[in-house]
Amino acid sequence: MAVVTPAVAPAPGPHPVDARPPLRRLVPLSLQHLLVAYAGLATMPLLVGTALHLPEDRVRLLISANLLVSGLATLLQSLGAKWLGARLPIVMGSTFTAITPAVLIGAEHGLAAVFGATIVSGLVTVAVAPWFGRWLHLFPPLVTGTVIAVIGFSLVPSAAGLVTGGSGAGGGRGLALAAVTVLLVVLVERLAPPALARFSVLVAMGVGTVLAVPLGLFDGSGVAEARAVTAPDPTAFGAPTFVVPAIAAMLVVQLVNMVESVGDTLAVGQIVGRGDDAPTVVRALRADGIATVVSGMFASFPVVTFGQSVGLVSVTRVRSRHVVALSGLLMVVLAFVPVLGAAVAAVPGPVLGGVSLVMFGMVGAVGLRILARADLTDSRSLLTAALAFGLGMIPVGAPDFYAPLPSSLRTVLDSGIAVTGIVAFALNLLFHHAPRTRKDPAR
């Protein structure tokens, strides 16, 4: 009788998150993440420096410091180190939520107080990260989906601002260039083979930049004026100081950042098929905290996950964390080589705005997809989402709505993301976790 030898199943390959693409694809994919994130990385310190009337050399130092700490944080978050890092394709950077508090604190106490408060908020994040892991059941799809959706949709006006007021904005020509950029993303995604479709954003940005030249919307003068090599100077603004009111304001900002980080981490985890669990969230928050501590020490601002990475991973379907890790390394290089940063910044505003519109819209769509997992036939869940959306979008449509209120309240209320997170979290607790005082009528 013949002996049948059982077939040996081939050894399974690495999870797509852990797969390392060949260098010929790794570099352009990483550059794609960098180009999408760069506007946010440069804009936050630029707005703070401009509002505080800092000289240009000091503003450039803030931008270099932000690139450095964002790159290091991205490396930590994507590669991980023991109990730190989500080990997911997540880009890190300074949050826009901190702009108003940083300006207010800087005007009254100096930037040194901003950096001291940033250090403390990072330490608190590391300390409370395990508690967030235990409370993860309080962040169901109803809460995280609503928060992620508002993160994406509330950033759409900033994409529009890049088109109409960014570098290279040119009225009707700028609008046309932005529309062509969006159309290119769609066409590459629809018509190109899968190997090229992964680069749809990069292709659109490259072609859009080339088209900007004959339209007179490309300005490369910044490349010629930039220094070849420099180094961030953490001592330029003095040693960090620790002022209680400043710390209190930044802790509120960091609470919002933690809610945003939880939502982004869970969203990316669900997209890539790994990491949407409590241990990953805890490691991600610890990395956020450590990165924020380092950020304050290097004269920069609180660091959080970038929603753009959620949109880009969803569009390109490239799940490798090594792609994002290399983009983090490129950020570190840009911090020391301003001429390269100037080359990235030369991408015309309409092109970057068009791509950002796709990315932010995708983040919002991912949030709606997560929200769809909630039981919206329950009137209480529907009311929770409705109020969280409605109140969260007020600062987007009416930025001066809360102007009559004290600045301490505006720190929270002027952030649509903060309002959405607080309202969704509180109403979810009230409707689904608090003891019931009446019996629900039959539905």
mmCIF file of all heavy atoms in Angstrom, residues 93-123:
data_model
loop_
_atom_site.group_PDB
_atom_site.id
_atom_site.type_symbol
_atom_site.label_atom_id
_atom_site.label_comp_id
_atom_site.label_asym_id
_atom_site.label_seq_id
_atom_site.Cartn_x
_atom_site.Cartn_y
_atom_site.Cartn_z
ATOM 1 N N GLY A 93 2.742 64.069 14.595
ATOM 2 C CA GLY A 93 3.083 65.468 14.398
ATOM 3 C C GLY A 93 2.386 66.343 15.417
ATOM 4 O O GLY A 93 1.522 65.880 16.167
ATOM 5 N N SER A 94 2.755 67.618 15.469
ATOM 6 C CA SER A 94 2.144 68.557 16.404
ATOM 7 C C SER A 94 0.689 68.811 16.025
ATOM 8 O O SER A 94 0.346 68.905 14.848
ATOM 9 C CB SER A 94 2.915 69.877 16.425
ATOM 10 O OG SER A 94 4.173 69.700 17.021
ATOM 11 N N THR A 95 -0.138 68.945 17.039
ATOM 12 C CA THR A 95 -1.576 69.057 16.827
ATOM 13 C C THR A 95 -2.027 70.504 16.706
ATOM 14 O O THR A 95 -1.535 71.392 17.404
ATOM 15 C CB THR A 95 -2.331 68.382 17.983
ATOM 16 O OG1 THR A 95 -3.717 68.703 17.900
ATOM 17 C CG2 THR A 95 -1.819 68.864 19.340
ATOM 18 N N PHE A 96 -2.993 70.748 15.828
ATOM 19 C CA PHE A 96 -3.562 72.082 15.682
ATOM 20 C C PHE A 96 -4.361 72.485 16.919
ATOM 21 O O PHE A 96 -4.597 73.669 17.145
ATOM 22 C CB PHE A 96 -4.471 72.130 14.447
ATOM 23 C CG PHE A 96 -3.719 72.246 13.147
ATOM 24 C CD1 PHE A 96 -2.396 71.843 13.048
ATOM 25 C CD2 PHE A 96 -4.323 72.764 12.020
ATOM 26 C CE1 PHE A 96 -1.695 71.949 11.858
ATOM 27 C CE2 PHE A 96 -3.641 72.886 10.820
ATOM 28 C CZ PHE A 96 -2.321 72.464 10.737
ATOM 29 N N THR A 97 -4.790 71.498 17.723
ATOM 30 C CA THR A 97 -5.551 71.799 18.928
ATOM 31 C C THR A 97 -4.759 72.682 19.879
ATOM 32 O O THR A 97 -5.338 73.446 20.659
ATOM 33 C CB THR A 97 -5.940 70.482 19.645
ATOM 34 O OG1 THR A 97 -6.501 69.578 18.710
ATOM 35 C CG2 THR A 97 -6.944 70.736 20.756
ATOM 36 N N ALA A 98 -3.437 72.602 19.817
ATOM 37 C CA ALA A 98 -2.598 73.342 20.759
ATOM 38 C C ALA A 98 -2.285 74.758 20.299
ATOM 39 O O ALA A 98 -1.634 75.508 21.040
ATOM 40 C CB ALA A 98 -1.290 72.579 20.988
ATOM 41 N N ILE A 99 -2.742 75.160 19.102
ATOM 42 C CA ILE A 99 -2.351 76.473 18.585
ATOM 43 C C ILE A 99 -2.840 77.601 19.487
ATOM 44 O O ILE A 99 -2.057 78.459 19.933
ATOM 45 C CB ILE A 99 -2.886 76.665 17.142
ATOM 46 C CG1 ILE A 99 -2.156 75.730 16.173
ATOM 47 C CG2 ILE A 99 -2.705 78.115 16.701
ATOM 48 C CD1 ILE A 99 -2.675 75.798 14.749
ATOM 49 N N THR A 100 -4.149 77.639 19.763
ATOM 50 C CA THR A 100 -4.704 78.738 20.568
ATOM 51 C C THR A 100 -4.100 78.771 21.972
ATOM 52 O O THR A 100 -3.647 79.833 22.424
ATOM 53 C CB THR A 100 -6.239 78.629 20.633
ATOM 54 O OG1 THR A 100 -6.777 78.716 19.307
ATOM 55 C CG2 THR A 100 -6.819 79.754 21.480
ATOM 56 N N PRO A 101 -4.061 77.638 22.712
ATOM 57 C CA PRO A 101 -3.424 77.689 24.040
ATOM 58 C C PRO A 101 -1.958 78.104 23.964
ATOM 59 O O PRO A 101 -1.486 78.860 24.822
ATOM 60 C CB PRO A 101 -3.566 76.249 24.559
ATOM 61 C CG PRO A 101 -4.697 75.681 23.797
ATOM 62 C CD PRO A 101 -4.657 76.327 22.442
ATOM 63 N N ALA A 102 -1.212 77.627 22.960
ATOM 64 C CA ALA A 102 0.204 77.983 22.857
ATOM 65 C C ALA A 102 0.382 79.476 22.637
ATOM 66 O O ALA A 102 1.282 80.102 23.217
ATOM 67 C CB ALA A 102 0.859 77.192 21.722
ATOM 68 N N VAL A 103 -0.476 80.071 21.815
ATOM 69 C CA VAL A 103 -0.384 81.510 21.561
ATOM 70 C C VAL A 103 -0.720 82.296 22.827
ATOM 71 O O VAL A 103 -0.019 83.256 23.190
ATOM 72 C CB VAL A 103 -1.316 81.916 20.401
ATOM 73 C CG1 VAL A 103 -1.397 83.439 20.281
ATOM 74 C CG2 VAL A 103 -0.831 81.303 19.096
ATOM 75 N N LEU A 104 -1.793 81.881 23.514
ATOM 76 C CA LEU A 104 -2.198 82.595 24.736
ATOM 77 C C LEU A 104 -1.129 82.475 25.822
ATOM 78 O O LEU A 104 -0.780 83.461 26.485
ATOM 79 C CB LEU A 104 -3.539 82.048 25.235
ATOM 80 C CG LEU A 104 -4.753 82.292 24.320
ATOM 81 C CD1 LEU A 104 -5.984 81.594 24.875
ATOM 82 C CD2 LEU A 104 -5.013 83.781 24.177
ATOM 83 N N ILE A 105 -0.610 81.260 26.005
ATOM 84 C CA ILE A 105 0.427 81.050 27.025
ATOM 85 C C ILE A 105 1.697 81.788 26.640
ATOM 86 O O ILE A 105 2.336 82.445 27.469
ATOM 87 C CB ILE A 105 0.706 79.537 27.200
ATOM 88 C CG1 ILE A 105 -0.524 78.817 27.746
ATOM 89 C CG2 ILE A 105 1.903 79.318 28.136
ATOM 90 C CD1 ILE A 105 -0.412 77.302 27.678
ATOM 91 N N GLY A 106 2.081 81.689 25.375
ATOM 92 C CA GLY A 106 3.296 82.347 24.921
ATOM 93 C C GLY A 106 3.238 83.847 25.073
ATOM 94 O O GLY A 106 4.238 84.489 25.419
ATOM 95 N N ALA A 107 2.062 84.451 24.809
ATOM 96 C CA ALA A 107 1.930 85.899 24.926
ATOM 97 C C ALA A 107 2.033 86.356 26.373
ATOM 98 O O ALA A 107 2.535 87.448 26.657
ATOM 99 C CB ALA A 107 0.599 86.346 24.327
ATOM 100 N N GLU A 108 1.559 85.546 27.301
ATOM 101 C CA GLU A 108 1.538 85.964 28.714
ATOM 102 C C GLU A 108 2.768 85.521 29.489
ATOM 103 O O GLU A 108 3.286 86.255 30.329
ATOM 104 C CB GLU A 108 0.283 85.407 29.395
ATOM 105 C CG GLU A 108 0.097 85.901 30.823
ATOM 106 C CD GLU A 108 -1.254 85.510 31.405
ATOM 107 O OE1 GLU A 108 -2.101 84.985 30.636
ATOM 108 O OE2 GLU A 108 -1.460 85.722 32.603
ATOM 109 N N HIS A 109 3.244 84.304 29.218
ATOM 110 C CA HIS A 109 4.336 83.748 30.024
ATOM 111 C C HIS A 109 5.590 83.431 29.217
ATOM 112 O O HIS A 109 6.607 83.051 29.796
ATOM 113 C CB HIS A 109 3.870 82.465 30.733
ATOM 114 C CG HIS A 109 2.660 82.650 31.583
ATOM 115 N ND1 HIS A 109 2.691 83.307 32.800
ATOM 116 C CD2 HIS A 109 1.365 82.259 31.387
ATOM 117 C CE1 HIS A 109 1.474 83.310 33.332
ATOM 118 N NE2 HIS A 109 0.648 82.683 32.493
ATOM 119 N N GLY A 110 5.532 83.539 27.894
ATOM 120 C CA GLY A 110 6.674 83.204 27.058
ATOM 121 C C GLY A 110 6.612 81.763 26.569
ATOM 122 O O GLY A 110 5.934 80.910 27.163
ATOM 123 N N LEU A 111 7.321 81.492 25.474
ATOM 124 C CA LEU A 111 7.309 80.142 24.908
ATOM 125 C C LEU A 111 7.912 79.108 25.846
ATOM 126 O O LEU A 111 7.569 77.925 25.774
ATOM 127 C CB LEU A 111 8.055 80.137 23.572
ATOM 128 C CG LEU A 111 7.244 80.542 22.341
ATOM 129 C CD1 LEU A 111 8.134 80.609 21.107
ATOM 130 C CD2 LEU A 111 6.096 79.562 22.100
ATOM 131 N N ALA A 112 8.808 79.527 26.727
ATOM 132 C CA ALA A 112 9.394 78.576 27.673
ATOM 133 C C ALA A 112 8.315 77.923 28.529
ATOM 134 O O ALA A 112 8.404 76.739 28.879
ATOM 135 C CB ALA A 112 10.434 79.273 28.549
ATOM 136 N N ALA A 113 7.265 78.698 28.861
ATOM 137 C CA ALA A 113 6.154 78.135 29.639
ATOM 138 C C ALA A 113 5.345 77.150 28.812
ATOM 139 O O ALA A 113 4.819 76.157 29.338
ATOM 140 C CB ALA A 113 5.257 79.258 30.152
ATOM 141 N N VAL A 114 5.234 77.404 27.499
ATOM 142 C CA VAL A 114 4.544 76.462 26.611
ATOM 143 C C VAL A 114 5.281 75.127 26.596
ATOM 144 O O VAL A 114 4.670 74.056 26.717
ATOM 145 C CB VAL A 114 4.461 77.029 25.181
ATOM 146 C CG1 VAL A 114 3.815 76.005 24.237
ATOM 147 C CG2 VAL A 114 3.677 78.326 25.159
ATOM 148 N N PHE A 115 6.606 75.194 26.492
ATOM 149 C CA PHE A 115 7.384 73.960 26.423
ATOM 150 C C PHE A 115 7.377 73.227 27.767
ATOM 151 O O PHE A 115 7.339 71.995 27.798
ATOM 152 C CB PHE A 115 8.816 74.281 25.992
ATOM 153 C CG PHE A 115 8.888 75.034 24.687
ATOM 154 C CD1 PHE A 115 9.815 76.050 24.492
ATOM 155 C CD2 PHE A 115 8.017 74.729 23.648
ATOM 156 C CE1 PHE A 115 9.874 76.745 23.293
ATOM 157 C CE2 PHE A 115 8.058 75.424 22.444
ATOM 158 C CZ PHE A 115 8.989 76.436 22.272
ATOM 159 N N GLY A 116 7.395 73.954 28.877
ATOM 160 C CA GLY A 116 7.290 73.312 30.186
ATOM 161 C C GLY A 116 5.954 72.609 30.362
ATOM 162 O O GLY A 116 5.890 71.476 30.859
ATOM 163 N N ALA A 117 4.866 73.278 29.936
ATOM 164 C CA ALA A 117 3.543 72.660 30.034
ATOM 165 C C ALA A 117 3.441 71.439 29.127
ATOM 166 O O ALA A 117 2.782 70.447 29.463
ATOM 167 C CB ALA A 117 2.480 73.692 29.656
ATOM 168 N N THR A 118 4.110 71.494 27.983
ATOM 169 C CA THR A 118 4.124 70.353 27.069
ATOM 170 C C THR A 118 4.798 69.148 27.721
ATOM 171 O O THR A 118 4.312 68.011 27.618
ATOM 172 C CB THR A 118 4.857 70.734 25.762
ATOM 173 O OG1 THR A 118 4.142 71.803 25.121
ATOM 174 C CG2 THR A 118 4.949 69.544 24.810
ATOM 175 N N ILE A 119 5.909 69.381 28.401
ATOM 176 C CA ILE A 119 6.611 68.286 29.087
ATOM 177 C C ILE A 119 5.712 67.637 30.132
ATOM 178 O O ILE A 119 5.593 66.403 30.202
ATOM 179 C CB ILE A 119 7.906 68.813 29.740
ATOM 180 C CG1 ILE A 119 8.913 69.229 28.661
ATOM 181 C CG2 ILE A 119 8.522 67.762 30.674
ATOM 182 C CD1 ILE A 119 10.149 69.925 29.204
ATOM 183 N N VAL A 120 5.041 68.461 30.935
ATOM 184 C CA VAL A 120 4.175 67.916 31.984
ATOM 185 C C VAL A 120 3.017 67.130 31.376
ATOM 186 O O VAL A 120 2.661 66.039 31.849
ATOM 187 C CB VAL A 120 3.648 69.052 32.883
ATOM 188 C CG1 VAL A 120 2.626 68.514 33.887
ATOM 189 C CG2 VAL A 120 4.797 69.721 33.630
ATOM 190 N N SER A 121 2.410 67.672 30.312
ATOM 191 C CA SER A 121 1.275 66.970 29.690
ATOM 192 C C SER A 121 1.713 65.621 29.123
ATOM 193 O O SER A 121 0.952 64.649 29.154
ATOM 194 C CB SER A 121 0.656 67.842 28.594
ATOM 195 O OG SER A 121 1.552 68.027 27.517
ATOM 196 N N GLY A 122 2.947 65.545 28.621
ATOM 197 C CA GLY A 122 3.455 64.269 28.133
ATOM 198 C C GLY A 122 3.636 63.260 29.251
ATOM 199 O O GLY A 122 3.295 62.074 29.102
ATOM 200 N N LEU A 123 4.171 63.714 30.387
ATOM 201 C CA LEU A 123 4.342 62.821 31.539
ATOM 202 C C LEU A 123 3.001 62.300 32.043
ATOM 203 O O LEU A 123 2.865 61.114 32.389
ATOM 204 C CB LEU A 123 5.079 63.560 32.660
ATOM 205 C CG LEU A 123 6.547 63.921 32.375
ATOM 206 C CD1 LEU A 123 7.097 64.811 33.484
ATOM 207 C CD2 LEU A 123 7.397 62.664 32.238
#
